[in-house]
Structures are given as C-alpha cells and as structure tokens.
Amino acid sequence: MRYMLLHKTNDNLEAGNPPDPEILERADAVLEEMRQAGVLVLGEGLMPSSRGARVTFPVPGQPRVIDGPFAETKELVAGVSIIRVDSKEEAVQWALRFAEADPYTPIDILEIAG
C-alpha cells in the first residue's frame, strides 16, 4: 500500500523563511532512514503558497483561478512524502519518526488509491 504523508506548513515557512536548520537536518535523517528501509517513493518540500495558485469552482463548470498566498496557513502543506508500506499502522510509525524530528508540524496520513 502507498501512503502520502502531508507535512503541514506554518506562518514562518509561509512567510518565505527557511526551516529551522536543526529540524531540517532531523527530517532529512528520517527521509534517509526511509530510503535505507526501501519504503520511500518520494519526499519533497514545497515552496510557500505565495508561489502557487488555487483553482476553485464557485459556479459548476466555471473555474476561478486565485493566486497565492492563501489565508488559512494551518490547512496548507509544506512538504509531502509518499511511502510504500504494508499497513496504515506502519505508515503511522513512519509519521511518528517525523514527529520526533519536528514536534510542531502536524502530518496527515492518507492512503493512495489504486
């Protein structure tokens, strides 16, 4: 099974400031553990939402494009990891390793369809 770990952002990262070097080093170490264990499919950080856009559909079939930044920081993602593991419980265990690296960043764990 494949799972996507969505690492949430914060006001500091959304302001374009670099992550704390110690936290980044610890998170990179977790990614390396995942590589060594053979479970990491992809691990990437994302730029602040000011560099992105959002497509909405206020009227069905009529898309609206909104340039970032976006107001609800707590709903935004700062990074994504895709892992291939045997169970949701194993995915949770890997997410907990990231929590040890950065105890301030929530992580959503979602199973990938297909």
Short mmCIF file of all heavy atoms in Angstrom, two decimals, residues 1-64:
data_model
loop_
_atom_site.label_atom_id
_atom_site.label_comp_id
_atom_site.label_asym_id
_atom_site.label_seq_id
_atom_site.Cartn_x
_atom_site.Cartn_y
_atom_site.Cartn_z
N MET A 1 0.83 -1.18 0.00
CA MET A 1 0.00 0.00 0.00
C MET A 1 0.88 1.25 0.00
O MET A 1 1.96 1.24 0.58
CB MET A 1 -0.89 0.02 1.24
CG MET A 1 -1.91 -1.10 1.27
SD MET A 1 -3.01 -0.96 2.68
CE MET A 1 -1.98 -1.76 3.90
N ARG A 2 0.38 2.27 -0.65
CA ARG A 2 1.10 3.54 -0.65
C ARG A 2 0.33 4.56 0.18
O ARG A 2 -0.90 4.60 0.13
CB ARG A 2 1.27 4.06 -2.07
CG ARG A 2 2.22 3.21 -2.90
CD ARG A 2 2.28 3.66 -4.33
NE ARG A 2 0.93 3.63 -4.89
CZ ARG A 2 0.49 4.46 -5.83
NH1 ARG A 2 1.27 5.37 -6.34
NH2 ARG A 2 -0.75 4.37 -6.28
N TYR A 3 1.10 5.34 0.91
CA TYR A 3 0.52 6.40 1.73
C TYR A 3 1.23 7.71 1.44
O TYR A 3 2.43 7.73 1.18
CB TYR A 3 0.66 6.08 3.22
CG TYR A 3 -0.29 5.00 3.68
CD1 TYR A 3 0.07 3.67 3.58
CD2 TYR A 3 -1.54 5.33 4.18
CE1 TYR A 3 -0.80 2.67 3.99
CE2 TYR A 3 -2.41 4.34 4.59
CZ TYR A 3 -2.04 3.02 4.49
OH TYR A 3 -2.91 2.02 4.88
N MET A 4 0.45 8.80 1.51
CA MET A 4 1.01 10.13 1.37
C MET A 4 1.01 10.77 2.75
O MET A 4 -0.01 10.78 3.43
CB MET A 4 0.16 10.97 0.41
CG MET A 4 0.71 12.37 0.22
SD MET A 4 -0.28 13.33 -0.96
CE MET A 4 0.11 12.47 -2.48
N LEU A 5 2.18 11.25 3.15
CA LEU A 5 2.30 11.99 4.40
C LEU A 5 2.36 13.47 4.03
O LEU A 5 3.28 13.91 3.35
CB LEU A 5 3.57 11.59 5.16
CG LEU A 5 3.80 10.09 5.38
CD1 LEU A 5 5.09 9.87 6.16
CD2 LEU A 5 2.63 9.46 6.09
N LEU A 6 1.36 14.22 4.46
CA LEU A 6 1.29 15.64 4.17
C LEU A 6 1.80 16.40 5.38
O LEU A 6 1.17 16.40 6.44
CB LEU A 6 -0.14 16.07 3.85
CG LEU A 6 -0.78 15.39 2.62
CD1 LEU A 6 -2.24 15.78 2.50
CD2 LEU A 6 -0.01 15.76 1.37
N HIS A 7 2.93 17.05 5.23
CA HIS A 7 3.56 17.80 6.30
C HIS A 7 3.02 19.23 6.24
O HIS A 7 3.25 19.93 5.26
CB HIS A 7 5.08 17.80 6.13
CG HIS A 7 5.64 16.43 5.94
ND1 HIS A 7 6.18 15.71 6.97
CD2 HIS A 7 5.72 15.64 4.83
CE1 HIS A 7 6.60 14.54 6.51
NE2 HIS A 7 6.33 14.48 5.22
N LYS A 8 2.30 19.65 7.25
CA LYS A 8 1.65 20.96 7.24
C LYS A 8 2.68 22.08 7.38
O LYS A 8 3.78 21.89 7.88
CB LYS A 8 0.63 21.05 8.37
CG LYS A 8 -0.51 20.03 8.24
CD LYS A 8 -1.27 20.21 6.95
CE LYS A 8 -2.42 19.27 6.84
NZ LYS A 8 -3.70 19.91 6.75
N THR A 9 2.29 23.26 6.94
CA THR A 9 3.17 24.42 6.99
C THR A 9 2.90 25.24 8.25
O THR A 9 2.06 24.88 9.07
CB THR A 9 3.03 25.29 5.72
OG1 THR A 9 4.12 26.19 5.65
CG2 THR A 9 1.72 26.02 5.66
N ASN A 10 3.59 26.35 8.38
CA ASN A 10 3.36 27.28 9.48
C ASN A 10 3.59 28.70 8.97
O ASN A 10 4.03 28.90 7.84
CB ASN A 10 4.27 26.95 10.69
CG ASN A 10 5.73 26.98 10.33
OD1 ASN A 10 6.22 27.91 9.71
ND2 ASN A 10 6.46 25.94 10.74
N ASP A 11 3.28 29.67 9.82
CA ASP A 11 3.40 31.08 9.40
C ASP A 11 4.83 31.43 8.98
O ASP A 11 5.04 32.20 8.03
CB ASP A 11 2.94 32.01 10.52
CG ASP A 11 1.45 31.92 10.77
OD1 ASP A 11 0.70 31.55 9.83
OD2 ASP A 11 1.02 32.21 11.90
N ASN A 12 5.82 30.88 9.67
CA ASN A 12 7.21 31.17 9.36
C ASN A 12 7.58 30.70 7.95
O ASN A 12 8.17 31.45 7.16
CB ASN A 12 8.12 30.51 10.40
CG ASN A 12 9.57 30.88 10.21
OD1 ASN A 12 9.91 32.06 10.14
ND2 ASN A 12 10.43 29.88 10.10
N LEU A 13 7.21 29.47 7.62
CA LEU A 13 7.51 28.94 6.28
C LEU A 13 6.72 29.67 5.20
O LEU A 13 7.22 29.95 4.13
CB LEU A 13 7.22 27.44 6.23
CG LEU A 13 8.08 26.56 7.13
CD1 LEU A 13 7.59 25.12 7.09
CD2 LEU A 13 9.54 26.65 6.74
N GLU A 14 5.46 29.99 5.51
CA GLU A 14 4.63 30.72 4.54
C GLU A 14 5.17 32.11 4.27
O GLU A 14 4.94 32.68 3.21
CB GLU A 14 3.18 30.80 5.03
CG GLU A 14 2.33 29.63 4.60
CD GLU A 14 2.22 29.52 3.09
OE1 GLU A 14 1.65 30.41 2.43
OE2 GLU A 14 2.72 28.52 2.55
N ALA A 15 5.88 32.67 5.24
CA ALA A 15 6.50 33.99 5.05
C ALA A 15 7.75 33.90 4.17
O ALA A 15 8.37 34.92 3.87
CB ALA A 15 6.84 34.61 6.40
N GLY A 16 8.11 32.69 3.79
CA GLY A 16 9.28 32.50 2.93
C GLY A 16 10.58 32.30 3.69
O GLY A 16 11.65 32.25 3.08
N ASN A 17 10.48 32.17 5.01
CA ASN A 17 11.67 31.93 5.81
C ASN A 17 12.09 30.47 5.71
O ASN A 17 11.23 29.59 5.63
CB ASN A 17 11.40 32.29 7.27
CG ASN A 17 11.07 33.76 7.43
OD1 ASN A 17 11.69 34.61 6.79
ND2 ASN A 17 10.08 34.05 8.24
N PRO A 18 13.37 30.19 5.74
CA PRO A 18 13.82 28.80 5.67
C PRO A 18 13.46 28.05 6.95
O PRO A 18 13.31 28.67 8.01
CB PRO A 18 15.33 28.91 5.51
CG PRO A 18 15.68 30.25 6.06
CD PRO A 18 14.49 31.13 5.83
N PRO A 19 13.30 26.73 6.86
CA PRO A 19 13.03 25.95 8.06
C PRO A 19 14.22 26.01 9.02
O PRO A 19 15.35 26.28 8.61
CB PRO A 19 12.83 24.52 7.55
CG PRO A 19 13.04 24.55 6.10
CD PRO A 19 13.37 25.93 5.66
N ASP A 20 13.94 25.77 10.28
CA ASP A 20 15.00 25.68 11.29
C ASP A 20 16.01 24.63 10.84
O ASP A 20 15.63 23.50 10.54
CB ASP A 20 14.37 25.30 12.63
CG ASP A 20 15.39 25.14 13.73
OD1 ASP A 20 16.17 24.17 13.65
OD2 ASP A 20 15.38 25.97 14.65
N PRO A 21 17.30 24.96 10.75
CA PRO A 21 18.30 24.01 10.24
C PRO A 21 18.35 22.70 11.03
O PRO A 21 18.54 21.64 10.43
CB PRO A 21 19.62 24.76 10.37
CG PRO A 21 19.26 26.20 10.44
CD PRO A 21 17.89 26.26 11.06
N GLU A 22 18.16 22.75 12.34
CA GLU A 22 18.19 21.52 13.13
C GLU A 22 17.01 20.62 12.80
O GLU A 22 17.16 19.41 12.68
CB GLU A 22 18.20 21.85 14.62
CG GLU A 22 19.50 22.46 15.09
CD GLU A 22 19.49 22.79 16.58
OE1 GLU A 22 18.68 22.19 17.32
OE2 GLU A 22 20.28 23.64 16.99
N ILE A 23 15.82 21.23 12.66
CA ILE A 23 14.63 20.44 12.30
C ILE A 23 14.81 19.85 10.91
O ILE A 23 14.50 18.68 10.67
CB ILE A 23 13.36 21.30 12.40
CG1 ILE A 23 13.07 21.62 13.88
CG2 ILE A 23 12.18 20.60 11.76
CD1 ILE A 23 11.92 22.58 14.10
N LEU A 24 15.30 20.65 9.98
CA LEU A 24 15.53 20.17 8.62
C LEU A 24 16.52 19.01 8.60
O LEU A 24 16.30 18.01 7.90
CB LEU A 24 16.01 21.32 7.74
CG LEU A 24 16.09 21.06 6.25
CD1 LEU A 24 14.74 20.65 5.70
CD2 LEU A 24 16.60 22.30 5.53
N GLU A 25 17.57 19.12 9.37
CA GLU A 25 18.56 18.04 9.44
C GLU A 25 17.94 16.75 9.99
O GLU A 25 18.18 15.67 9.46
CB GLU A 25 19.72 18.48 10.33
CG GLU A 25 20.87 17.48 10.37
CD GLU A 25 22.03 17.99 11.22
OE1 GLU A 25 22.35 19.19 11.13
OE2 GLU A 25 22.60 17.17 11.96
N ARG A 26 17.12 16.89 11.03
CA ARG A 26 16.47 15.69 11.61
C ARG A 26 15.45 15.09 10.64
O ARG A 26 15.37 13.87 10.50
CB ARG A 26 15.81 16.05 12.94
CG ARG A 26 16.82 16.36 14.05
CD ARG A 26 16.19 16.43 15.42
NE ARG A 26 15.10 17.39 15.53
CZ ARG A 26 15.21 18.60 16.06
NH1 ARG A 26 16.38 19.02 16.52
NH2 ARG A 26 14.16 19.39 16.14
N ALA A 27 14.70 15.94 9.94
CA ALA A 27 13.73 15.45 8.95
C ALA A 27 14.45 14.75 7.80
O ALA A 27 14.00 13.70 7.33
CB ALA A 27 12.85 16.58 8.45
N ASP A 28 15.56 15.32 7.35
CA ASP A 28 16.35 14.67 6.29
C ASP A 28 16.87 13.32 6.75
O ASP A 28 16.94 12.37 5.95
CB ASP A 28 17.51 15.57 5.86
CG ASP A 28 17.08 16.73 5.00
OD1 ASP A 28 15.93 16.72 4.50
OD2 ASP A 28 17.90 17.66 4.82
N ALA A 29 17.21 13.20 8.02
CA ALA A 29 17.67 11.91 8.56
C ALA A 29 16.54 10.88 8.51
O ALA A 29 16.78 9.71 8.20
CB ALA A 29 18.18 12.08 9.98
N VAL A 30 15.32 11.31 8.78
CA VAL A 30 14.18 10.38 8.69
C VAL A 30 13.98 9.95 7.25
O VAL A 30 13.75 8.76 6.97
CB VAL A 30 12.89 11.01 9.27
CG1 VAL A 30 11.70 10.08 9.07
CG2 VAL A 30 13.06 11.32 10.76
N LEU A 31 14.07 10.90 6.31
CA LEU A 31 13.95 10.54 4.89
C LEU A 31 15.03 9.53 4.49
O LEU A 31 14.76 8.58 3.75
CB LEU A 31 14.04 11.78 4.02
CG LEU A 31 12.82 12.70 4.03
CD1 LEU A 31 13.14 14.00 3.31
CD2 LEU A 31 11.62 12.02 3.39
N GLU A 32 16.23 9.72 5.00
CA GLU A 32 17.31 8.77 4.70
C GLU A 32 17.01 7.40 5.30
O GLU A 32 17.26 6.37 4.66
CB GLU A 32 18.65 9.30 5.21
CG GLU A 32 19.83 8.42 4.85
CD GLU A 32 19.97 8.15 3.36
OE1 GLU A 32 19.62 9.02 2.52
OE2 GLU A 32 20.44 7.05 3.00
N GLU A 33 16.46 7.37 6.50
CA GLU A 33 16.04 6.08 7.10
C GLU A 33 15.01 5.40 6.20
O GLU A 33 15.07 4.18 6.00
CB GLU A 33 15.40 6.30 8.47
CG GLU A 33 16.36 6.61 9.59
CD GLU A 33 15.59 6.80 10.90
OE1 GLU A 33 14.76 5.94 11.24
OE2 GLU A 33 15.83 7.83 11.57
N MET A 34 14.07 6.18 5.68
CA MET A 34 13.04 5.63 4.79
C MET A 34 13.68 5.07 3.52
O MET A 34 13.29 4.00 3.06
CB MET A 34 12.01 6.70 4.44
CG MET A 34 11.13 7.12 5.58
SD MET A 34 10.08 8.49 5.05
CE MET A 34 8.68 8.24 6.11
N ARG A 35 14.64 5.82 2.96
CA ARG A 35 15.34 5.34 1.76
C ARG A 35 16.03 4.00 2.04
O ARG A 35 15.92 3.06 1.28
CB ARG A 35 16.37 6.36 1.29
CG ARG A 35 15.85 7.44 0.42
CD ARG A 35 16.97 8.33 -0.14
NE ARG A 35 16.44 9.62 -0.48
CZ ARG A 35 16.37 10.66 0.34
NH1 ARG A 35 16.86 10.59 1.55
NH2 ARG A 35 15.83 11.80 -0.06
N GLN A 36 16.75 3.98 3.17
CA GLN A 36 17.51 2.77 3.53
C GLN A 36 16.58 1.58 3.77
O GLN A 36 16.93 0.45 3.46
CB GLN A 36 18.35 3.05 4.77
CG GLN A 36 19.33 4.18 4.58
CD GLN A 36 20.75 3.74 4.54
OE1 GLN A 36 21.10 2.68 5.03
NE2 GLN A 36 21.59 4.56 3.95
N ALA A 37 15.39 1.86 4.32
CA ALA A 37 14.41 0.80 4.59
C ALA A 37 13.66 0.38 3.32
O ALA A 37 12.94 -0.61 3.33
CB ALA A 37 13.42 1.25 5.66
N GLY A 38 13.85 1.15 2.25
CA GLY A 38 13.19 0.82 0.98
C GLY A 38 11.72 1.19 0.92
O GLY A 38 11.00 0.67 0.07
N VAL A 39 11.25 2.10 1.79
CA VAL A 39 9.83 2.46 1.78
C VAL A 39 9.57 3.81 1.12
O VAL A 39 8.43 4.10 0.74
CB VAL A 39 9.22 2.46 3.21
CG1 VAL A 39 9.37 1.09 3.85
CG2 VAL A 39 9.81 3.53 4.08
N LEU A 40 10.59 4.64 0.95
CA LEU A 40 10.38 5.98 0.41
C LEU A 40 10.21 5.94 -1.11
O LEU A 40 11.06 5.44 -1.83
CB LEU A 40 11.56 6.90 0.77
CG LEU A 40 11.40 8.36 0.36
CD1 LEU A 40 10.25 9.02 1.11
CD2 LEU A 40 12.70 9.11 0.59
N VAL A 41 9.10 6.47 -1.59
CA VAL A 41 8.85 6.62 -3.01
C VAL A 41 9.22 8.04 -3.44
O VAL A 41 9.83 8.25 -4.48
CB VAL A 41 7.38 6.32 -3.36
CG1 VAL A 41 7.08 6.59 -4.83
CG2 VAL A 41 7.02 4.88 -2.98
N LEU A 42 8.85 9.03 -2.60
CA LEU A 42 9.10 10.43 -2.92
C LEU A 42 9.10 11.23 -1.63
O LEU A 42 8.32 10.95 -0.73
CB LEU A 42 7.99 10.96 -3.84
CG LEU A 42 8.04 12.46 -4.12
CD1 LEU A 42 8.33 12.70 -5.58
CD2 LEU A 42 6.74 13.10 -3.72
N GLY A 43 9.97 12.19 -1.53
CA GLY A 43 9.98 13.11 -0.39
C GLY A 43 10.40 14.48 -0.89
O GLY A 43 11.51 14.63 -1.38
N GLU A 44 9.50 15.46 -0.81
CA GLU A 44 9.79 16.79 -1.35
C GLU A 44 9.22 17.87 -0.45
O GLU A 44 8.14 17.72 0.11
CB GLU A 44 9.16 16.97 -2.74
CG GLU A 44 9.70 16.04 -3.80
CD GLU A 44 11.13 16.34 -4.23
OE1 GLU A 44 11.60 17.48 -4.04
OE2 GLU A 44 11.77 15.44 -4.76
N GLY A 45 9.94 18.98 -0.36
CA GLY A 45 9.43 20.18 0.29
C GLY A 45 8.75 21.06 -0.74
O GLY A 45 9.05 20.97 -1.93
N LEU A 46 7.83 21.89 -0.29
CA LEU A 46 7.11 22.77 -1.19
C LEU A 46 7.43 24.23 -0.88
O LEU A 46 7.77 24.58 0.25
CB LEU A 46 5.59 22.55 -1.05
CG LEU A 46 5.12 21.12 -1.32
CD1 LEU A 46 3.63 21.00 -1.02
CD2 LEU A 46 5.42 20.71 -2.74
N MET A 47 7.29 25.05 -1.88
CA MET A 47 7.50 26.50 -1.73
C MET A 47 6.27 27.09 -1.04
O MET A 47 5.20 26.47 -1.03
CB MET A 47 7.70 27.14 -3.10
CG MET A 47 8.92 26.62 -3.86
SD MET A 47 10.47 26.82 -2.97
CE MET A 47 10.68 28.58 -3.05
N PRO A 48 6.38 28.31 -0.49
CA PRO A 48 5.23 28.96 0.13
C PRO A 48 4.08 29.14 -0.87
O PRO A 48 4.30 29.22 -2.09
CB PRO A 48 5.77 30.32 0.57
CG PRO A 48 7.25 30.16 0.63
CD PRO A 48 7.60 29.13 -0.39
N SER A 49 2.87 29.24 -0.35
CA SER A 49 1.70 29.35 -1.21
C SER A 49 1.71 30.64 -2.04
O SER A 49 1.01 30.72 -3.05
CB SER A 49 0.41 29.26 -0.40
OG SER A 49 0.25 30.38 0.44
N SER A 50 2.52 31.62 -1.67
CA SER A 50 2.62 32.84 -2.47
C SER A 50 3.16 32.54 -3.87
O SER A 50 2.97 33.33 -4.80
CB SER A 50 3.52 33.87 -1.78
OG SER A 50 4.83 33.35 -1.62
N ARG A 51 3.78 31.38 -4.03
CA ARG A 51 4.33 30.99 -5.34
C ARG A 51 3.36 30.11 -6.12
O ARG A 51 3.69 29.61 -7.19
CB ARG A 51 5.65 30.23 -5.14
CG ARG A 51 6.68 30.95 -4.30
CD ARG A 51 7.79 31.61 -5.07
NE ARG A 51 8.41 30.84 -6.10
CZ ARG A 51 9.63 30.34 -6.04
NH1 ARG A 51 10.37 30.51 -4.96
NH2 ARG A 51 10.13 29.69 -7.07
N GLY A 52 2.16 29.88 -5.55
CA GLY A 52 1.21 28.97 -6.18
C GLY A 52 -0.09 29.65 -6.59
O GLY A 52 -0.22 30.87 -6.59
N ALA A 53 -1.05 28.82 -6.93
CA ALA A 53 -2.39 29.27 -7.32
C ALA A 53 -3.39 28.22 -6.88
O ALA A 53 -3.02 27.08 -6.60
CB ALA A 53 -2.47 29.49 -8.83
N ARG A 54 -4.64 28.61 -6.81
CA ARG A 54 -5.72 27.70 -6.42
C ARG A 54 -6.82 27.81 -7.47
O ARG A 54 -7.18 28.91 -7.88
CB ARG A 54 -6.25 28.08 -5.05
CG ARG A 54 -7.42 27.24 -4.58
CD ARG A 54 -7.85 27.64 -3.17
NE ARG A 54 -6.86 27.10 -2.23
CZ ARG A 54 -6.65 27.61 -1.02
NH1 ARG A 54 -7.34 28.65 -0.58
NH2 ARG A 54 -5.75 27.07 -0.22
N VAL A 55 -7.34 26.68 -7.90
CA VAL A 55 -8.47 26.66 -8.83
C VAL A 55 -9.71 26.27 -8.04
O VAL A 55 -9.72 25.24 -7.36
CB VAL A 55 -8.23 25.66 -9.98
CG1 VAL A 55 -9.45 25.59 -10.90
CG2 VAL A 55 -6.98 26.02 -10.77
N THR A 56 -10.73 27.12 -8.08
CA THR A 56 -12.00 26.83 -7.41
C THR A 56 -13.11 26.83 -8.46
O THR A 56 -12.91 27.27 -9.60
CB THR A 56 -12.31 27.88 -6.32
OG1 THR A 56 -12.47 29.16 -6.93
CG2 THR A 56 -11.21 27.93 -5.27
N PHE A 57 -14.27 26.36 -8.05
CA PHE A 57 -15.43 26.30 -8.94
C PHE A 57 -16.64 26.89 -8.22
O PHE A 57 -17.53 26.18 -7.79
CB PHE A 57 -15.70 24.85 -9.37
CG PHE A 57 -14.58 24.27 -10.16
CD1 PHE A 57 -13.53 23.62 -9.53
CD2 PHE A 57 -14.55 24.38 -11.54
CE1 PHE A 57 -12.47 23.09 -10.26
CE2 PHE A 57 -13.50 23.85 -12.28
CZ PHE A 57 -12.46 23.21 -11.64
N PRO A 58 -16.68 28.24 -8.09
CA PRO A 58 -17.81 28.86 -7.40
C PRO A 58 -19.13 28.59 -8.12
O PRO A 58 -20.17 28.49 -7.50
CB PRO A 58 -17.47 30.35 -7.39
CG PRO A 58 -16.39 30.53 -8.39
CD PRO A 58 -15.72 29.22 -8.56
N VAL A 59 -19.05 28.46 -9.44
CA VAL A 59 -20.20 28.04 -10.25
C VAL A 59 -19.75 26.79 -10.99
O VAL A 59 -18.69 26.80 -11.64
CB VAL A 59 -20.59 29.15 -11.26
CG1 VAL A 59 -21.71 28.69 -12.17
CG2 VAL A 59 -20.95 30.44 -10.54
N PRO A 60 -20.49 25.68 -10.88
CA PRO A 60 -20.07 24.44 -11.55
C PRO A 60 -19.72 24.68 -13.02
O PRO A 60 -20.44 25.35 -13.74
CB PRO A 60 -21.29 23.52 -11.40
CG PRO A 60 -21.97 24.03 -10.16
CD PRO A 60 -21.77 25.51 -10.17
N GLY A 61 -18.55 24.16 -13.39
CA GLY A 61 -18.10 24.27 -14.76
C GLY A 61 -17.43 25.60 -15.11
O GLY A 61 -17.00 25.80 -16.24
N GLN A 62 -17.34 26.51 -14.13
CA GLN A 62 -16.71 27.81 -14.38
C GLN A 62 -15.57 27.99 -13.38
O GLN A 62 -15.76 28.53 -12.30
CB GLN A 62 -17.73 28.94 -14.24
CG GLN A 62 -18.82 28.88 -15.30
CD GLN A 62 -19.81 30.01 -15.15
OE1 GLN A 62 -19.59 30.98 -14.43
NE2 GLN A 62 -20.92 29.90 -15.85
N PRO A 63 -14.38 27.53 -13.75
CA PRO A 63 -13.25 27.62 -12.82
C PRO A 63 -12.83 29.07 -12.56
O PRO A 63 -12.97 29.94 -13.41
CB PRO A 63 -12.14 26.85 -13.53
CG PRO A 63 -12.51 26.86 -14.96
CD PRO A 63 -14.01 26.94 -15.02
N ARG A 64 -12.33 29.26 -11.37
CA ARG A 64 -11.77 30.56 -10.96
C ARG A 64 -10.36 30.30 -10.44
O ARG A 64 -10.17 29.42 -9.60
CB ARG A 64 -12.64 31.17 -9.87
CG ARG A 64 -12.13 32.48 -9.36
CD ARG A 64 -13.10 33.06 -8.34
NE ARG A 64 -12.43 34.14 -7.62
CZ ARG A 64 -12.74 34.52 -6.42
NH1 ARG A 64 -13.73 33.94 -5.77
NH2 ARG A 64 -12.08 35.50 -5.84
#
